[in-house]
């Protein structure tokens, strides 16, 4: 240990003192030290404290490239799920106002939307959540420091304040839950200088105006969807396919609906450069990957939604030998969230192969806390995790996509029940129902166990959540048939589905 203090790490004397003291006495200041106060880290630290552990959590937010900052709670609360869902809700209300007139509401004068009113309200709500998290930590006796943590050894973390003041902390176990941040493309001139990311969009004081959203995964589509819903001119630039990793038939329905809803799509397009014109507008040059032709257009904002990078670089992982996947930068974790170094655990968005979702981070964090406190041995089950894409037509799913099911069980081994249905609320409003669809993917042989369930329609998250329980319990098609629907709902259409894709029969639901 003394040799380590003299060696290549060049640790400060105080760090060495803590490490040596702990090595000699075998005592740690804390039972658990959590680096990262986001969805996972907060859940883990609160659960551990409730089980009687002495816990400390460090959370520190580096401002975005554009200088956007936020408080305690991590991505979901500040720059993810929460402001996103509220902006989606804002957009849904805009559609509802249009529907309302068909239902007899007299809405006099043109309806318009004010970005700053929405932004203020959402930002205030987020701040209230930041405060709520602080209070909860205090109530549960979790020590919280607004400091950036990095590893010194398997029991020791260096914590640094914004002003550069350093402290060394020791704990029996260290949990890393530092999440991720949006990436910028590296090879596109002007991308970083002139573009924003999801770390900024929810904190803008002024409307982003005509916006180009680059990327086609769910962050991109959701953002373009709510921007369109707010009445803005929004274009999605897609270099390959939309919603990679999701069922591709469903992805097609989502983007078809968005196109009909007013979102523009630049398919097969690769951005090349972004230039700021003297007018202040951003001129984007891109290449059509099929024809090779170069195209240009001007936008008020360019939003990069080209993926996220795990926050692992500043953690000092190499110093202590925590193994990462060199390609993704994520930490290699076992099923119990342990890393290659004893006493160091990692989960949530920085865990290799883990879903990048809040509920999985929360659940995994709680279970880890229980195991570390010696009060349980249950592992996180990452199978059949439901999720929803909050695009103008929402898409909820749980279990396997049709492609995955066919890959796993062969085309012959899979039965797909499907239906195009008509949400009752769309009828009077005369809204297009072409993309309201559901499919239930089952094993074809044996008892027709349900492998996957997919739904595009209103309230897809609410619909999918309940059926996720069924999949956890190993539901079969026969269980679904025995389930009585709630009338009149869209969810009941799932219980009524009876046309197989194999039959080739028309899957359009008729009657009520
Ligand atoms: P995070 O919540 O990211 O928390 C990590 C925290 O650690 C952050 O506060 C970070 O600043 C801090 N930190 C980083 N490094 C250090 C350090 N060295 N020291 C101290 N602190 C540090 N998921 C859903 O389930 N539903 C959704 O609808 C949804 N929508 C999303 C929309 C967007 C736009 C985005 C970007 C994500 C969305 N997600 C959604 C994903 C969800 O937000 C993440 O999966 C979740 O927040 C991950 O939790 P985490 O605990 O792993 O990390
Ligand atoms: P994802 O899911 O990693 O998707 C990134 C998207 O951006 C995807 O459509 C990519 O296309 C596209 N992409 C990546 N690089 C480029 C460049 N250089 N130019 C154009 N398009 C590009 O990222 P998200 O941010 O949407 O979501 C990440 C996670 O955050 C997600 O799992 C959620 O849980 C929360 P590709 O398909 O690779 O051709």
């Amino acid at each position: 240990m003394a040799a380590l203090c003299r060696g290549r790490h060049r640790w400060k004397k105080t760090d060495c003192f803590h490490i040596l003291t702990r090595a000699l006495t075998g005592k740690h200041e804390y039972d658990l030290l959590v680096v990262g106060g986001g969805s996972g880290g907060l859940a883990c630290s609160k659960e551990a404290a409730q089980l009687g552990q002495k816990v400390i959590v460090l959370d520190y937010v580096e401002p975005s490239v554009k200088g956007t900052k936020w408080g305690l709670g991590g991505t979901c609360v500040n720059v993810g799920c929460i402001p996103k869902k509220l902006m989606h809700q804002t957009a849904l209300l805009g559609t509802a106002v249009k529907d309302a007139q068909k239902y007899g509401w007299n809405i006099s004068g043109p309806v318009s939307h004010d970005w700053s009113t929405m932004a203020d309200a959402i930002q205030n709500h987020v701040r209230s959540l930041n405060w709520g998290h602080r209070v909860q930590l205090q109530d549960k006796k979790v020590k919280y420091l607004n400091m950036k943590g990095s590893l010194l050894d398997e029991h020791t973390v260096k914590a640094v304040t914004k002003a550069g003041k350093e402290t060394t902390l020791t704990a029996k176990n260290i949990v890393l839950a530092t999440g991720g941040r949006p990436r910028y493309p590296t090879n596109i001139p002007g991308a970083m200088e002139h573009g924003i990311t999801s770390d900024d969009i929810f904190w803008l004081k002024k409307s982003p105006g005509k916006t180009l959203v680059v990327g086609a995964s769910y962050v991109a589509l959701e953002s373009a969807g709510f921007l369109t819903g707010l009445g803005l001119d929004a274009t999605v630039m897609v270099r390959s396919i939309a919603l990679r990793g999701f069922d591709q038939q469903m992805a097609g329905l989502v983007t078809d609906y968005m196109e009909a809803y007013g979102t523009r799509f630049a398919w097969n397009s690769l951005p090349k450069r972004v230039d700021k014109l003297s007018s202040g507008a951003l001129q984007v040059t891109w290449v059509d990957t099929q024809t090779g032709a170069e195209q240009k257009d001007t936008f008020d904002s360019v939003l990069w939604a080209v993926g996220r990078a795990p926050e692992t670089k500043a953690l000092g992982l190499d110093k202590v030998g925590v193994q990462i996947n060199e390609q993704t930068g994520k930490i290699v974790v076992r099923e119990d969230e342990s890393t290659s170094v004893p006493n160091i655990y990692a989960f949530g968005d920085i865990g290799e192969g883990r879903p990048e979702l809040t509920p999985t981070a929360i659940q995994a964090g709680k279970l880890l806390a229980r195991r570390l406190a010696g009060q349980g041995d249950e592992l996180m089950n990452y199978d059949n995790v439901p999720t929803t894409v909050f695009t103008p037509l929402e898409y909820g799913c749980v279990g396997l996509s049709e492609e995955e099911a066919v890959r796993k069980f062969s085309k012959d081994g899979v039965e797909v029940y499907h239906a195009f249905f008509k949400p009752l609320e769309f009828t009077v409003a005369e809204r297009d129902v072409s993309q309201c669809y559901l499919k239930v993917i089952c094993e074809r042989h044996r008892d027709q166990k349900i492998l996957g369930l997919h739904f595009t329609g209103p309230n897809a998250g609410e619909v999918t959540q309940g059926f996720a329980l069924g999949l956890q319990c190993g539901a079969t098609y026969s269980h679904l048939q025995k389930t009585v629907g709630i009338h009149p709902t869209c969810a009941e259409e799932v219980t009524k589905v009876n046309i197989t894709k194999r039959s080739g029969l028309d899957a359009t639901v008729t009657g009520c």
Side-chain angles (χ1 to χ4, degrees), residues 185 214-220 239-241 244 270-271 305-308 356:
V214 185
S217 195
Y218 89 75
V219 172
R239 72 172 177 187
S240 59
I241 56 168
R244 185 179 296 285
L270 253 189
V306 293
R308 295 175 63 77
E356 292 184 12

Side-chain angles (χ1 to χ4, degrees), residues 34-42 57-62 70-85 145-150 158 176-182 198-199 201-202 218-220 222-223 308 311-312 314-315 347-351 355-362 386-390:
V34 179
V35 187
S39 308
L42 289 177
V57 60
L58 307 180
D59 188 60
Y60 188 85
V61 181
E62 286 290 355
W70 52 89
L72 178 63
T75 304
C76 179
V77 168
N78 296 285
V79 284
C81 336
I82 300 299
K84 178 277 298 288
K85 181 84 188 286
L145 294 178
N146 181 206
M147 294 175 96
K148 185 165 180 163
S150 60
K158 181 170 83 180
L176 307 173
T178 48
R181 296 295 288 268
S198 58
D199 276 359
I201 186 87
F202 306 111
Y218 89 75
V219 172
E222 289 180 341
S223 303
R308 295 175 63 77
E311 278 279 277
T312 46
L315 286 175
F347 71 99
D349 283 10
I350 54 163
E356 292 184 12
L357 292 169
T358 274
T360 46
I362 291 176
T387 188
T388 289
V389 181
F390 293 98

Side-chain angles (χ1 to χ4, degrees), residues 214-266:
V214 185
S217 195
Y218 89 75
V219 172
L221 296 188
E222 289 180 341
S223 303
F226 69 67
L227 293 175
T228 309
L230 303 187
L232 300 177
D233 183 332
T235 303
V236 182
M237 187 163 282
V238 189
R239 72 172 177 187
S240 59
I241 56 168
L243 292 180
R244 185 179 296 285
F246 287 87
D247 187 290
Q248 283 301 297
Q249 182 194 8
M250 305 307 288
L253 294 170
V254 167
T255 54
D256 284 353
Y257 185 91
M258 284 180 75
E259 282 190 298
Y261 182 74
T263 310
R264 299 173 204 271
F265 281 80

